[in-house]
Coordinates of all heavy atoms in Angstrom, one line a residue:
M193 N -53.8 11.7 -120.2 CA -52.6 12.5 -120.0 C -52.8 13.5 -118.9 O -53.8 14.3 -118.9 CB -52.2 13.1 -121.3 CG -51.0 13.9 -121.2 SD -50.5 14.5 -122.8 CE -49.9 16.0 -122.4
T194 N -52.0 13.5 -117.9 CA -52.1 14.5 -116.8 C -51.2 15.7 -117.2 O -50.1 15.6 -117.7 CB -51.7 13.9 -115.5 OG1 -50.3 13.6 -115.6 CG2 -52.5 12.8 -115.1
T195 N -51.7 16.8 -116.9 CA -51.0 18.1 -117.2 C -50.3 18.5 -115.9 O -50.9 18.6 -114.9 CB -51.9 19.2 -117.7 OG1 -52.9 19.5 -116.8 CG2 -52.5 18.8 -119.1
V196 N -49.0 18.7 -116.1 CA -48.2 19.2 -114.9 C -48.2 20.8 -115.0 O -48.0 21.3 -116.1 CB -46.8 18.7 -115.0 CG1 -45.9 19.2 -113.9 CG2 -46.8 17.2 -115.0
P197 N -48.6 21.4 -113.9 CA -48.5 22.9 -114.0 C -47.2 23.4 -114.3 O -46.2 23.0 -113.7 CB -49.1 23.3 -112.6 CG -48.8 22.2 -111.7 CD -48.9 21.0 -112.6
G198 N -47.0 24.3 -115.2 CA -45.7 24.9 -115.6 C -45.3 25.9 -114.5 O -46.0 26.3 -113.6
L199 N -44.1 26.4 -114.8 CA -43.6 27.4 -113.9 C -44.2 28.8 -114.1 O -44.4 29.6 -113.2 CB -42.0 27.6 -114.1 CG -41.2 26.4 -113.6 CD1 -39.8 26.6 -114.0 CD2 -41.4 26.2 -112.1
H200 N -44.6 29.0 -115.3 CA -45.3 30.3 -115.7 C -46.7 30.3 -115.2 O -47.6 29.8 -115.8 CB -45.2 30.5 -117.2 CG -45.9 31.8 -117.6 ND1 -45.5 33.0 -117.2 CD2 -47.0 31.9 -118.4 CE1 -46.3 33.9 -117.7 NE2 -47.3 33.3 -118.4
Q201 N -46.9 31.0 -114.1 CA -48.2 31.1 -113.5 C -48.4 32.6 -113.0 O -47.7 33.0 -112.1 CB -48.4 30.2 -112.3 CG -48.3 28.7 -112.6 CD -48.4 27.8 -111.4 OE1 -48.5 28.3 -110.3 NE2 -48.3 26.5 -111.6
P202 N -49.3 33.3 -113.7 CA -49.4 34.7 -113.3 C -49.8 35.0 -111.9 O -49.6 36.0 -111.3 CB -50.5 35.2 -114.3 CG -50.4 34.3 -115.5 CD -50.0 33.0 -114.9
K203 N -50.4 34.0 -111.3 CA -50.9 34.2 -109.9 C -49.7 34.3 -108.9 O -49.8 34.7 -107.8 CB -51.8 33.0 -109.4 CG -51.1 31.7 -109.3 CD -52.1 30.6 -108.9 CE -51.4 29.3 -109.0 NZ -52.4 28.2 -108.7
R204 N -48.5 33.9 -109.4 CA -47.3 34.1 -108.6 C -47.0 35.6 -108.4 O -46.3 35.9 -107.4 CB -46.1 33.5 -109.3 CG -46.1 32.0 -109.3 CD -44.8 31.5 -110.0 NE -44.8 30.0 -110.1 CZ -44.1 29.2 -109.2 NH1 -43.5 29.8 -108.2 NH2 -44.1 28.0 -109.4
A205 N -47.5 36.5 -109.2 CA -47.3 37.9 -109.0 C -48.0 38.4 -107.8 O -47.6 39.3 -107.0 CB -47.7 38.7 -110.2
I206 N -49.2 37.8 -107.5 CA -49.9 38.1 -106.3 C -49.2 37.7 -105.1 O -49.1 38.4 -104.1 CB -51.3 37.4 -106.3 CG1 -52.1 38.0 -107.5 CG2 -52.1 37.6 -105.0 CD1 -53.4 37.2 -107.8
V207 N -48.6 36.5 -105.1 CA -47.8 36.0 -104.0 C -46.6 36.9 -103.8 O -46.3 37.3 -102.6 CB -47.3 34.6 -104.3 CG1 -46.3 34.1 -103.2 CG2 -48.5 33.6 -104.4
A208 N -46.0 37.4 -104.8 CA -44.8 38.3 -104.7 C -45.3 39.6 -104.1 O -44.6 40.2 -103.2 CB -44.2 38.6 -106.1
G209 N -46.5 40.1 -104.4 CA -47.0 41.3 -103.8 C -47.3 41.2 -102.4 O -46.9 42.1 -101.6
V210 N -47.8 40.1 -102.0 CA -48.0 39.8 -100.5 C -46.7 39.7 -99.8 O -46.6 40.3 -98.7 CB -48.8 38.5 -100.3 CG1 -48.9 38.1 -98.9 CG2 -50.3 38.7 -100.9
E211 N -45.7 39.1 -100.4 CA -44.4 39.0 -99.8 C -43.8 40.4 -99.6 O -43.1 40.7 -98.6 CB -43.5 38.1 -100.5 CG -43.8 36.7 -100.3 CD -43.0 35.7 -101.1 OE1 -42.3 36.1 -102.1 OE2 -42.9 34.5 -100.8
V212 N -43.9 41.3 -100.6 CA -43.4 42.7 -100.5 C -44.1 43.4 -99.4 O -43.4 44.2 -98.6 CB -43.5 43.4 -101.8 CG1 -43.2 44.9 -101.7 CG2 -42.6 42.8 -102.9
V213 N -45.4 43.3 -99.2 CA -46.1 43.9 -98.1 C -45.6 43.4 -96.8 O -45.4 44.1 -95.8 CB -47.6 43.7 -98.2 CG1 -48.4 44.1 -97.0 CG2 -48.1 44.4 -99.4
A214 N -45.3 42.1 -96.7 CA -44.7 41.5 -95.5 C -43.4 42.0 -95.2 O -43.0 42.3 -94.0 CB -44.7 40.0 -95.6
V215 N -42.5 42.3 -96.2 CA -41.2 42.8 -96.1 C -41.3 44.2 -95.5 O -40.5 44.6 -94.6 CB -40.4 42.8 -97.4 CG1 -39.2 43.7 -97.3 CG2 -40.1 41.4 -97.8
V216 N -42.2 45.0 -96.0 CA -42.4 46.4 -95.4 C -42.8 46.3 -94.0 O -42.3 47.1 -93.1 CB -43.4 47.2 -96.3 CG1 -43.8 48.5 -95.6 CG2 -42.9 47.4 -97.7
A217 N -43.7 45.4 -93.6 CA -44.1 45.3 -92.2 C -43.0 44.8 -91.3 O -42.8 45.3 -90.2 CB -45.3 44.3 -92.1
L218 N -42.2 43.9 -91.9 CA -41.0 43.4 -91.1 C -40.0 44.5 -91.0 O -39.3 44.6 -89.9 CB -40.4 42.2 -91.8 CG -41.2 40.9 -91.7 CD1 -40.6 39.8 -92.5 CD2 -41.2 40.4 -90.2
A219 N -39.9 45.4 -91.9 CA -38.9 46.5 -91.8 C -39.3 47.4 -90.6 O -38.4 47.9 -89.9 CB -38.8 47.3 -93.1
F220 N -40.6 47.7 -90.5 CA -41.1 48.5 -89.4 C -40.8 47.8 -88.1 O -40.4 48.4 -87.1 CB -42.5 48.9 -89.5 CG -42.8 50.0 -90.5 CD1 -43.5 49.7 -91.6 CD2 -42.3 51.2 -90.3 CE1 -43.8 50.7 -92.5 CE2 -42.6 52.3 -91.1 CZ -43.3 52.0 -92.3
A221 N -41.0 46.5 -88.0 CA -40.7 45.7 -86.8 C -39.3 45.7 -86.5 O -38.9 45.8 -85.3 CB -41.3 44.3 -87.0
V222 N -38.4 45.7 -87.5 CA -36.9 45.7 -87.3 C -36.5 47.0 -86.6 O -35.8 47.0 -85.6 CB -36.2 45.5 -88.6 CG1 -34.7 45.9 -88.4 CG2 -36.3 44.0 -89.0
V223 N -37.0 48.1 -87.1 CA -36.7 49.4 -86.6 C -37.2 49.5 -85.1 O -36.5 50.0 -84.2 CB -37.2 50.5 -87.4 CG1 -37.1 51.9 -86.8 CG2 -36.5 50.5 -88.8
W224 N -38.4 49.0 -84.9 CA -39.0 49.1 -83.6 C -38.2 48.3 -82.6 O -37.9 48.7 -81.5 CB -40.4 48.6 -83.6 CG -41.1 48.7 -82.3 CD1 -41.6 49.8 -81.6 CD2 -41.4 47.6 -81.4 NE1 -42.2 49.4 -80.5 CE2 -42.1 48.1 -80.3 CE3 -41.2 46.2 -81.5 CZ2 -42.5 47.3 -79.3 CZ3 -41.6 45.4 -80.5 CH2 -42.3 45.9 -79.4
C225 N -37.8 47.1 -83.0 CA -37.0 46.2 -82.1 C -35.6 46.8 -81.8 O -35.1 46.8 -80.7 CB -36.9 44.8 -82.7 SG -38.4 43.8 -82.6
W226 N -35.0 47.3 -82.9 CA -33.7 47.9 -82.7 C -33.7 49.1 -81.7 O -32.8 49.3 -80.9 CB -33.1 48.3 -84.0 CG -31.7 48.7 -83.9 CD1 -31.2 50.0 -83.7 CD2 -30.5 47.9 -83.9 NE1 -29.9 50.0 -83.6 CE2 -29.4 48.7 -83.7 CE3 -30.3 46.5 -84.1 CZ2 -28.1 48.2 -83.7 CZ3 -29.1 46.0 -84.0 CH2 -28.0 46.9 -83.9
N227 N -34.7 50.0 -81.9 CA -34.8 51.1 -81.0 C -35.1 50.7 -79.5 O -34.7 51.4 -78.6 CB -36.0 52.1 -81.5 CG -35.6 52.8 -82.7 OD1 -34.4 53.0 -83.0 ND2 -36.5 53.2 -83.5
R228 N -35.8 49.6 -79.3 CA -36.0 49.1 -78.0 C -34.7 48.5 -77.4 O -34.5 48.4 -76.2 CB -37.1 48.1 -77.9 CG -38.5 48.8 -78.1 CD -39.6 47.9 -77.9 NE -39.5 47.3 -76.5 CZ -40.3 47.6 -75.5 NH1 -41.2 48.6 -75.6 NH2 -40.2 47.0 -74.4
G229 N -33.8 48.0 -78.3 CA -32.6 47.3 -77.8 C -31.4 48.1 -77.6 O -30.4 47.6 -77.1
V230 N -31.4 49.4 -78.0 CA -30.3 50.3 -77.8 C -30.7 51.4 -76.8 O -31.6 52.2 -77.1 CB -29.8 50.9 -79.1 CG1 -28.6 51.8 -78.9 CG2 -29.4 49.8 -80.1
L231 N -30.1 51.4 -75.6 CA -30.4 52.4 -74.6 C -29.2 53.3 -74.4 O -28.0 52.8 -74.3 CB -30.8 51.7 -73.3 CG -31.9 50.8 -73.3 CD1 -32.1 50.1 -72.0 CD2 -33.2 51.5 -73.7
R232 N -29.4 54.6 -74.4 CA -28.3 55.5 -74.2 C -28.5 56.2 -72.9 O -29.6 56.7 -72.6 CB -28.3 56.5 -75.3 CG -27.8 55.9 -76.6 CD -27.7 56.9 -77.8 NE -27.3 56.2 -79.0 CZ -28.0 55.5 -79.8 NH1 -29.3 55.4 -79.6 NH2 -27.5 55.0 -80.9
Y233 N -27.4 56.3 -72.1 CA -27.4 56.9 -70.8 C -26.4 58.1 -70.8 O -25.4 58.1 -71.5 CB -27.0 56.0 -69.7 CG -28.0 54.8 -69.6 CD1 -27.6 53.5 -70.0 CD2 -29.2 54.9 -69.0 CE1 -28.4 52.4 -69.8 CE2 -30.1 53.8 -68.9 CZ -29.7 52.6 -69.3 OH -30.5 51.5 -69.2
S234 N -26.8 59.1 -70.0 CA -25.9 60.3 -69.9 C -25.8 60.6 -68.4 O -26.8 60.8 -67.7 CB -26.4 61.5 -70.6 OG -25.6 62.6 -70.4
Y235 N -24.6 60.5 -67.9 CA -24.3 60.8 -66.4 C -23.6 62.1 -66.3 O -22.5 62.3 -66.8 CB -23.4 59.7 -65.8 CG -24.1 58.3 -66.0 CD1 -23.6 57.4 -66.9 CD2 -25.1 57.9 -65.1 CE1 -24.2 56.2 -67.0 CE2 -25.7 56.7 -65.2 CZ -25.2 55.8 -66.2 OH -25.8 54.6 -66.3
P236 N -24.2 63.1 -65.6 CA -23.6 64.4 -65.5 C -22.4 64.3 -64.5 O -22.4 63.6 -63.6 CB -24.7 65.3 -64.9 CG -25.7 64.3 -64.2 CD -25.5 63.0 -65.0
V237 N -21.4 65.1 -64.9 CA -20.1 65.1 -64.1 C -20.0 66.6 -63.7 O -20.2 67.5 -64.5 CB -18.9 64.6 -64.9 CG1 -17.6 64.8 -64.1 CG2 -19.1 63.2 -65.3
A238 N -19.6 66.8 -62.4 CA -19.5 68.2 -61.9 C -18.5 69.1 -62.7 O -18.8 70.2 -63.0 CB -19.2 68.2 -60.5
D239 N -17.4 68.5 -63.0 CA -16.3 69.3 -63.6 C -15.9 68.9 -65.0 O -14.8 68.6 -65.3 CB -15.1 69.3 -62.7 CG -14.5 67.9 -62.5 OD1 -15.3 67.0 -62.7 OD2 -13.4 67.8 -62.1
G240 N -16.9 68.8 -65.9 CA -16.6 68.4 -67.3 C -17.8 67.9 -68.0 O -18.9 68.1 -67.6
A241 N -17.5 67.4 -69.2 CA -18.6 66.9 -70.1 C -19.2 65.6 -69.4 O -18.6 64.9 -68.7 CB -18.0 66.5 -71.4
P242 N -20.5 65.5 -69.7 CA -21.2 64.3 -69.1 C -20.6 63.0 -69.7 O -20.2 62.9 -70.8 CB -22.6 64.5 -69.5 CG -22.6 65.4 -70.6 CD -21.4 66.3 -70.5
L243 N -20.7 61.9 -68.9 CA -20.3 60.6 -69.4 C -21.4 60.0 -70.2 O -22.6 60.0 -69.7 CB -19.9 59.7 -68.2 CG -18.7 60.1 -67.4 CD1 -18.6 59.2 -66.2 CD2 -17.5 60.1 -68.2
E244 N -21.1 59.5 -71.4 CA -22.1 58.9 -72.2 C -21.9 57.4 -72.2 O -20.8 56.9 -72.2 CB -22.0 59.4 -73.7 CG -22.1 60.9 -73.8 CD -23.6 61.4 -73.6 OE1 -24.5 60.6 -73.9 OE2 -23.8 62.5 -73.1
S245 N -23.0 56.7 -72.2 CA -22.9 55.2 -72.2 C -24.0 54.7 -73.0 O -25.1 55.2 -73.1 CB -23.1 54.7 -70.7 OG -23.1 53.3 -70.7
T246 N -23.7 53.6 -73.7 CA -24.7 52.9 -74.5 C -24.8 51.4 -74.0 O -23.8 50.8 -73.8 CB -24.3 52.9 -76.0 OG1 -24.1 54.2 -76.4 CG2 -25.4 52.3 -76.8
R247 N -26.1 51.0 -73.9 CA -26.3 49.6 -73.4 C -27.1 48.9 -74.5 O -28.1 49.4 -75.0 CB -27.1 49.6 -72.1 CG -27.4 48.3 -71.6 CD -28.2 48.3 -70.3 NE -28.5 47.0 -69.9 CZ -29.5 46.8 -69.0 NH1 -30.1 47.7 -68.4 NH2 -29.8 45.5 -68.6
Y248 N -26.7 47.7 -74.9 CA -27.4 47.0 -75.9 C -28.1 45.8 -75.2 O -27.5 45.0 -74.5 CB -26.4 46.4 -76.9 CG -25.7 47.5 -77.7 CD1 -24.5 48.0 -77.4 CD2 -26.4 48.1 -78.8 CE1 -23.9 49.0 -78.1 CE2 -25.8 49.1 -79.6 CZ -24.6 49.6 -79.2 OH -24.0 50.6 -79.9
L249 N -29.4 45.7 -75.5 CA -30.1 44.5 -74.9 C -30.2 43.4 -76.0 O -30.8 43.6 -77.1 CB -31.5 45.0 -74.6 CG -31.6 46.1 -73.5 CD1 -33.0 46.6 -73.3 CD2 -31.0 45.7 -72.2
G250 N -29.6 42.3 -75.7 CA -29.4 41.3 -76.7 C -30.7 40.7 -77.2 O -30.7 40.3 -78.4
N251 N -31.7 40.6 -76.4 CA -32.9 40.0 -76.9 C -33.6 40.8 -78.0 O -34.0 40.3 -79.0 CB -33.9 39.7 -75.8 CG -34.2 40.9 -75.0 OD1 -33.6 41.9 -75.1 ND2 -35.3 40.8 -74.2
W252 N -33.6 42.1 -77.9 CA -34.2 43.0 -78.8 C -33.3 43.1 -80.1 O -33.8 43.2 -81.2 CB -34.4 44.4 -78.2 CG -35.6 44.4 -77.3 CD1 -35.5 44.5 -75.9 CD2 -37.0 44.2 -77.5 NE1 -36.7 44.4 -75.3 CE2 -37.6 44.2 -76.3 CE3 -37.7 44.0 -78.7 CZ2 -39.0 44.0 -76.2 CZ3 -39.1 43.8 -78.6 CH2 -39.7 43.8 -77.4
V253 N -32.0 43.2 -79.9 CA -31.1 43.3 -81.0 C -31.1 42.0 -81.8 O -31.2 42.0 -83.1 CB -29.7 43.7 -80.6 CG1 -28.7 43.6 -81.7 CG2 -29.6 45.1 -79.9
G254 N -31.2 40.9 -81.1 CA -31.2 39.6 -81.8 C -32.6 39.5 -82.6 O -32.6 38.9 -83.7
A255 N -33.6 39.9 -82.0 CA -34.9 39.9 -82.7 C -34.9 40.8 -83.9 O -35.4 40.4 -85.0 CB -36.1 40.3 -81.8
A256 N -34.3 41.9 -83.9 CA -34.2 42.8 -85.0 C -33.4 42.1 -86.1 O -33.7 42.2 -87.3 CB -33.5 44.1 -84.6
I257 N -32.3 41.5 -85.8 CA -31.4 40.8 -86.8 C -32.2 39.6 -87.4 O -32.1 39.4 -88.6 CB -30.1 40.4 -86.1 CG1 -29.3 41.6 -85.8 CG2 -29.3 39.4 -87.0 CD1 -28.0 41.3 -84.9
G258 N -32.9 38.9 -86.6 CA -33.7 37.8 -87.1 C -34.8 38.2 -88.0 O -35.0 37.6 -89.1
L259 N -35.5 39.3 -87.6 CA -36.5 39.8 -88.5 C -36.0 40.4 -89.8 O -36.6 40.2 -90.9 CB -37.3 40.9 -87.8 CG -38.2 40.4 -86.6 CD1 -38.8 41.6 -85.9 CD2 -39.3 39.5 -87.1
A260 N -34.8 41.0 -89.7 CA -34.2 41.5 -91.0 C -33.8 40.4 -91.9 O -33.9 40.5 -93.1 CB -33.0 42.4 -90.6
T261 N -33.3 39.3 -91.3 CA -32.9 38.1 -92.1 C -34.2 37.6 -92.8 O -34.1 37.2 -94.0 CB -32.2 37.1 -91.2 OG1 -31.1 37.7 -90.6 CG2 -31.8 35.9 -92.1
L262 N -35.2 37.4 -92.1 CA -36.5 36.9 -92.6 C -37.0 37.9 -93.7 O -37.4 37.4 -94.8 CB -37.5 36.8 -91.5 CG -38.9 36.3 -92.0 CD1 -38.8 34.9 -92.6 CD2 -39.9 36.3 -90.8
A263 N -36.9 39.2 -93.5 CA -37.3 40.1 -94.6 C -36.4 40.0 -95.8 O -37.0 40.0 -97.0 CB -37.2 41.5 -94.0
G264 N -35.2 39.7 -95.7 CA -34.3 39.5 -96.8 C -34.6 38.3 -97.6 O -34.7 38.3 -98.8
V265 N -34.9 37.2 -96.9 CA -35.3 35.9 -97.5 C -36.6 36.1 -98.3 O -36.8 35.7 -99.4 CB -35.4 34.8 -96.5 CG1 -36.0 33.6 -97.2 CG2 -34.0 34.5 -96.0
L266 N -37.6 36.8 -97.7 CA -38.9 37.1 -98.4 C -38.7 38.0 -99.6 O -39.4 37.8 -100.6 CB -39.9 37.7 -97.4 CG -40.5 36.8 -96.4 CD1 -41.4 37.6 -95.5 CD2 -41.3 35.7 -97.1
L267 N -37.8 38.9 -99.5 CA -37.5 39.8 -100.6 C -36.9 39.0 -101.8 O -37.3 39.2 -103.0 CB -36.6 40.9 -100.2 CG -36.5 42.1 -101.2 CD1 -37.9 42.7 -101.4 CD2 -35.6 43.1 -100.7
L268 N -36.0 38.1 -101.5 CA -35.4 37.3 -102.5 C -36.5 36.4 -103.2 O -36.5 36.2 -104.4 CB -34.3 36.4 -102.0 CG -33.0 37.1 -101.7 CD1 -32.0 36.2 -101.0 CD2 -32.4 37.6 -103.0
D269 N -37.4 35.8 -102.3 CA -38.4 35.0 -102.9 C -39.4 35.8 -103.7 O -39.9 35.3 -104.7 CB -39.1 34.2 -101.7 CG -40.1 33.2 -102.3 OD1 -39.6 32.3 -103.1 OD2 -41.3 33.2 -102.0
A270 N -39.7 37.0 -103.3 CA -40.6 37.8 -104.1 C -40.0 38.1 -105.5 O -40.7 38.0 -106.5 CB -40.8 39.1 -103.4
G271 N -38.7 38.3 -105.5 CA -38.1 38.5 -106.8 C -38.2 37.2 -107.7 O -38.4 37.3 -108.9
R272 N -38.0 36.1 -107.1 CA -38.1 34.8 -107.8 C -39.5 34.6 -108.3 O -39.7 34.2 -109.4 CB -37.7 33.7 -106.8 CG -37.7 32.3 -107.5 CD -37.4 31.2 -106.5 NE -38.5 31.0 -105.6 CZ -39.5 30.1 -105.8 NH1 -39.5 29.4 -106.8 NH2 -40.5 30.0 -104.9
Q273 N -40.5 34.9 -107.4 CA -41.9 34.8 -107.8 C -42.2 35.7 -109.0 O -42.9 35.3 -110.0 CB -42.8 35.1 -106.7 CG -42.7 34.1 -105.5 CD -43.4 32.8 -105.8 OE1 -44.0 32.6 -106.9 NE2 -43.2 31.9 -104.9
V274 N -41.7 36.9 -109.0 CA -42.0 37.8 -110.2 C -41.3 37.3 -111.4 O -42.0 37.3 -112.5 CB -41.4 39.2 -109.8 CG1 -41.4 40.1 -111.1 CG2 -42.3 39.9 -108.7
V275 N -40.1 36.8 -111.3 CA -39.5 36.2 -112.5 C -40.2 35.0 -113.0 O -40.4 34.9 -114.3 CB -38.0 35.9 -112.2 CG1 -37.4 35.0 -113.3 CG2 -37.2 37.1 -112.0
L276 N -40.7 34.2 -112.2 CA -41.5 33.0 -112.6 C -42.8 33.4 -113.1 O -43.4 32.7 -114.0 CB -41.6 32.0 -111.5 CG -40.3 31.3 -111.1 CD1 -40.6 30.4 -109.9 CD2 -39.8 30.4 -112.3
A277 N -43.4 34.5 -112.6 CA -44.7 34.9 -113.1 C -44.6 35.5 -114.5 O -45.5 35.5 -115.3 CB -45.3 35.9 -112.2
V278 N -43.5 36.2 -114.8 CA -43.4 36.9 -116.1 C -42.6 36.1 -117.2 O -43.1 36.1 -118.3 CB -42.6 38.3 -115.8 CG1 -42.4 39.0 -117.1 CG2 -43.4 39.1 -114.8
R279 N -41.5 35.5 -116.8 CA -40.6 35.0 -117.9 C -40.7 33.5 -118.2 O -40.6 33.2 -119.3 CB -39.2 35.3 -117.5 CG -38.8 36.8 -117.5 CD -37.4 36.9 -117.4 NE -37.0 38.3 -117.5 CZ -35.8 38.8 -117.3 NH1 -34.8 38.0 -117.0 NH2 -35.6 40.1 -117.4
A280 N -40.8 32.7 -117.2 CA -40.7 31.3 -117.4 C -41.9 30.8 -118.3 O -43.1 31.1 -118.0 CB -40.7 30.5 -116.1
R281 N -41.6 30.1 -119.3 CA -42.6 29.5 -120.2 C -42.4 28.0 -120.1 O -41.3 27.5 -120.2 CB -42.5 30.0 -121.6 CG -42.5 31.5 -121.7 CD -43.9 32.0 -121.9 NE -43.8 33.4 -122.3 CZ -44.3 34.4 -121.5 NH1 -44.8 34.0 -120.3 NH2 -44.2 35.6 -121.8
G282 N -43.5 27.3 -120.0 CA -43.5 25.9 -120.0 C -43.4 25.3 -121.4 O -43.8 25.9 -122.3
R283 N -42.8 24.1 -121.5 CA -42.7 23.4 -122.7 C -44.0 22.7 -122.9 O -44.7 22.2 -122.0 CB -41.6 22.4 -122.8 CG -40.3 23.0 -122.7 CD -39.2 21.9 -122.8 NE -37.9 22.5 -122.7 CZ -36.8 21.7 -122.6 NH1 -36.9 20.4 -122.7 NH2 -35.6 22.3 -122.5
K284 N -44.4 22.5 -124.2 CA -45.6 21.7 -124.5 C -45.3 20.2 -124.2 O -44.2 19.7 -124.5 CB -46.0 21.8 -125.9 CG -46.6 23.2 -126.2 CD -47.1 23.3 -127.6 CE -47.7 24.6 -127.9 NZ -48.3 24.7 -129.2
Q285 N -46.2 19.6 -123.6 CA -46.1 18.2 -123.3 C -46.3 17.4 -124.5 O -47.3 17.5 -125.2 CB -47.1 17.7 -122.2 CG -46.9 18.4 -120.9 CD -45.6 17.9 -120.2 OE1 -45.2 16.8 -120.3 NE2 -45.0 18.8 -119.5
V286 N -45.3 16.5 -124.8 CA -45.4 15.7 -126.0 C -45.8 14.3 -125.6 O -45.3 13.7 -124.7 CB -44.0 15.7 -126.7 CG1 -44.1 14.8 -128.0 CG2 -43.6 17.0 -127.1
D287 N -46.8 13.7 -126.4 CA -47.2 12.4 -126.1 C -46.1 11.4 -126.4 O -45.4 11.6 -127.5 CB -48.5 12.0 -126.9 CG -49.7 12.8 -126.4 OD1 -49.7 13.1 -125.2 OD2 -50.6 13.1 -127.2
P288 N -45.9 10.4 -125.7 CA -44.9 9.4 -126.0 C -45.3 8.7 -127.3 O -46.5 8.5 -127.6 CB -44.9 8.5 -124.8 CG -46.1 8.7 -124.1 CD -46.6 10.1 -124.4
P289 N -44.3 8.3 -128.1 CA -44.6 7.6 -129.4 C -45.3 6.3 -129.1 O -45.1 5.6 -128.2 CB -43.2 7.4 -130.0 CG -42.2 7.6 -128.9 CD -42.9 8.4 -127.9
D290 N -46.3 6.0 -130.0 CA -47.1 4.8 -129.9 C -46.3 3.7 -130.6 O -46.3 3.6 -131.8 CB -48.4 5.0 -130.5 CG -49.5 4.2 -129.8 OD1 -49.2 3.8 -128.7 OD2 -50.6 4.1 -130.4
V291 N -45.7 2.8 -129.9 CA -44.9 1.8 -130.5 C -45.6 0.5 -130.5 O -46.3 0.0 -129.7 CB -43.5 1.6 -129.8 CG1 -42.7 0.5 -130.5 CG2 -42.8 3.0 -129.9

């Protein structure tokens, strides 16, 4: 009889921990990319308030959005891994009846 590994595996908690560390690293990368993708300019005007302008660089903003999406998916999977590490219990395998 072969045993099928159940869903309840405490080693999944380690995987969840690694994923949370990756989410934190990705959060720093998101902030860094976003700050590189938003440029603010100020043009002085002789008779009034300076003109303010903001320029968005699509490649950096897109990278920030992509990294944030990846971080969200990893965070969801980390939650799933924790639930499977703690709660899920496998059923005992029953031998088929000998007929």
